[in-house]
Amino acid sequence: MSFEDQWSANEESLLREAGSLGELLERIRGLFSPVLIRGRGWEGLVERAGELPPTLAGFPLWLGFPLDESRPAADLGVSLVGGTRSAAFFANRGRSGDADPAAVGIASLLGETGPEESPLRRVVGDRVLLEYDIDSTRPTQGDTGIFLYPIRPTLAGDRTGQRLPDLGLALDAMNAATRREPNAIERRHVERAYLALDSGARIGAIGALPSSRAGIRLTILGFDKAPDVTGFLERAGWPGRPAVVAAVLSRLERQRALDHMHMGVHFEVNAGGVGQTLELHIFSQNRMYDQQGWFKDKGYWTDLMDGLRAEGLAAPEKLSELAAWSSGAKTLFGRSGPFVVLQRIHHFKLVLAEDRVQQVNGYVFLLMCSWAQGQPTNAPASRRTPAGT
């Protein structure tokens, strides 16, 4: 059975399990620790996921939990892969008469990346990522973040400028999808950030919010040491103090917390330049893959979590619960038969603003597949592994 047939069969099984992603999460509620999410936070997550199809669980989705405080909040990210039922759901929603700006933009990007000969697809593939900021303390839900994830080689660091046309394709598509007026000054700042990359780094994500006047959001991946990060920030024109970033990372390095890790940065770029708020993303380098293509952590996150605990950046009890999440594959019995649930730690995020770490989040990923589809496959790794790695 081809991978396309496998994912189609898996989506069919998920449709029989629940009417929405929210309902599906409710059915697997026991997998989620109340230390990480509970009460209004869980209710807000289920409510927002109730607007989404259950088939999204058939591709990696990820959830981010605050580790530094007990506020009931979460981030939810989902993958839309072209040709799937999930993609068709969003395409149909975007074409409906009462579609909101996010739905219209998502449908636009799926349409543009669908054809195999599409120039945009050559740069970013046929996948769109959606991020939902869920905070039940707010009267209304936050906007939907829409992101394109460039295929690894396409926007790798290249200071010759030869790849700027590819960057322009992605920016044009994102502006059109989010109804943002093109801004030449903003684009020059984005190009400056790209041209500041060393050859080992790359643009990992390009996104925007369809209902906001905020700028383009960039995720840059591929940094191994603190000087790699601070050097890039200086060249890119980040207005904060790189010395503060260096101090935070150096303390973690002294704790050996960043051994076997690589880092990314995320910031907003608008006509005024790079935004002040900076996100530091930390990923594991030790991705040991099993025969199904899913990486096994094997405790590689322990040193980082110990470092966060020693520096007082995260609550010890939340770190312990997060460690328990990455426990491997579990078998659950659903209405249509057994399912394999894959759950792993995905990455950590430190948010820096006003010369200090203001927030720390831990991100996990989850995927559900029916028992037959959980067996080894020859699918390309890009189709099976989580985004942003």
Side-chain angles (χ1 to χ4, degrees):
M1 180 184 289
S2 70
F3 183 57
E4 287 76 10
D5 290 337
Q6 287 190 10
W7 91 46
S8 178
N10 192 46
E11 286 188 303
E12 290 282 354
S13 297
L14 290 168
L15 284 171
R16 292 194 293 270
E17 288 300 311
S20 70
L21 180 61
E23 182 183 338
L24 190 63
L25 291 176
E26 280 280 26
R27 297 196 62 197
I28 59 173
R29 175 70 179 93
L31 298 180
F32 295 86
S33 166
V35 175
L36 295 174
I37 185 168
R38 64 186 184 277
R40 291 179 299 164
W42 176 258
E43 293 166 5
L45 172 63
V46 170
E47 179 182 356
R48 192 63 186 263
E51 304 169 4
L52 307 175
T55 51
L56 287 168
F59 291 89
L61 61 85
W62 61 102
L63 297 128
F65 306 115
L67 300 179
D68 55 331
E69 54 180 283
S70 59
R71 63 187 176 90
D75 296 330
L76 169 66
V78 300
S79 308
L80 295 183
V81 178
T84 63
R85 285 184 175 271
S86 297
F89 173 91
F90 280 89
N92 292 334
R93 174 185 281 184
R95 290 193 292 264
S96 67
D98 58 349
D100 59 38
V104 173
I106 294 164
S108 168
L109 288 176
L110 290 171
E112 196 169 346
T113 59
E116 292 189 9
E117 67 279 6
S118 161
L120 181 62
R121 179 168 175 165
R122 176 181 55 81
V123 178
V124 301
D126 64 344
R127 184 169 55 178
V128 176
L129 279 291
L130 307 180
E131 291 190 1
Y132 301 92
D133 180 15
I134 301 165
D135 188 341
S136 60
T137 64
R138 294 194 301 247
T140 58
Q141 295 288 4
D143 203 352
T144 302
I146 304 176
F147 290 84
L148 296 173
Y149 275 62
I151 298 170
R152 279 182 182 270
T154 56
L155 291 179
D158 180 0
R159 297 187 187 177
T160 67
Q162 293 182 3
R163 292 175 174 171
L164 287 178
D166 286 343
L167 176 60
L169 282 174
L171 292 173
D172 289 342
M174 187 55 60
N175 283 334
T178 55
R179 299 182 179 181
R180 303 174 70 253
E181 290 295 328
N183 186 300
I185 299 176
E186 176 184 277
R187 179 157 301 197
R188 284 198 293 271
H189 287 302
V190 173
E191 291 175 346
R192 175 185 177 182
Y194 172 64
L195 293 173
L197 293 176
D198 288 326
S199 58
R202 64 185 175 91
I203 293 182
I206 300 172
L209 303 177
S211 299
S212 170
R213 294 183 179 180
I216 289 291
R217 299 189 174 195
L218 294 180
T219 301
I220 310 296
L221 303 175
F223 304 111
D224 294 325
K225 301 292 182 182
D228 301 336
V229 176
T230 56
F232 164 73
L233 292 174
E234 291 171 353
R235 294 190 299 271
W238 180 58
R241 293 203 297 148
V244 174
V245 178
V248 172
L249 295 179
S250 295
R251 289 196 300 271
L252 289 173
E253 286 179 341
R254 287 195 296 271
Q255 298 280 354
R256 307 299 299 270
L258 299 182
D259 288 1
H260 315 299
M261 297 287 158
H262 65 250
M263 293 168 283
V265 299
H266 177 95
F267 48 59
E268 181 184 301
V269 184
N270 56 37
V274 176
Q276 182 81 27
T277 300
L278 177 73
E279 296 180 4
L280 293 173
H281 294 202
I282 304 175
F283 302 89
S284 172
Q285 290 180 344
N286 291 299
R287 294 293 173 80
M288 293 181 61
Y289 290 85
D290 62 22
Q291 60 183 341
Q292 293 160 275
W294 298 103
F295 62 80
K296 299 180 287 186
D297 291 296
K298 298 289 187 181
Y300 293 133
W301 296 103
T302 301
D303 290 342
L304 175 59
M305 289 191 284
D306 286 346
L308 294 173
R309 185 182 294 109
E311 291 296 316
L313 294 174
E317 65 275 12
K318 289 192 173 184
L319 290 170
S320 297
E321 290 298 316
L322 195 69
W325 174 273
S326 196
S327 58
K330 295 182 178 179
T331 300
L332 300 179
F333 290 89
R335 296 167 178 167
S336 57
F339 278 82
V340 177
V341 181
L342 298 169
Q343 52 188 75
R344 296 282 188 272
I345 295 174
H346 188 258
H347 72 282
F348 288 78
K349 178 179 79 175
L350 282 64
V351 181
L352 279 76
E354 300 177 354
D355 289 344
R356 66 184 181 88
V357 177
Q358 292 194 345
Q359 183 180 339
V360 177
N361 277 18
Y363 286 78
V364 300
F365 88 80
L366 179 145
L367 177 141
M368 291 183 64
C369 49
S370 60
W371 184 260
Q373 279 70 55
Q375 303 310 303
T377 176
N378 294 321
S382 62
R383 287 282 185 165
R384 289 175 280 135
T385 53
T389 60

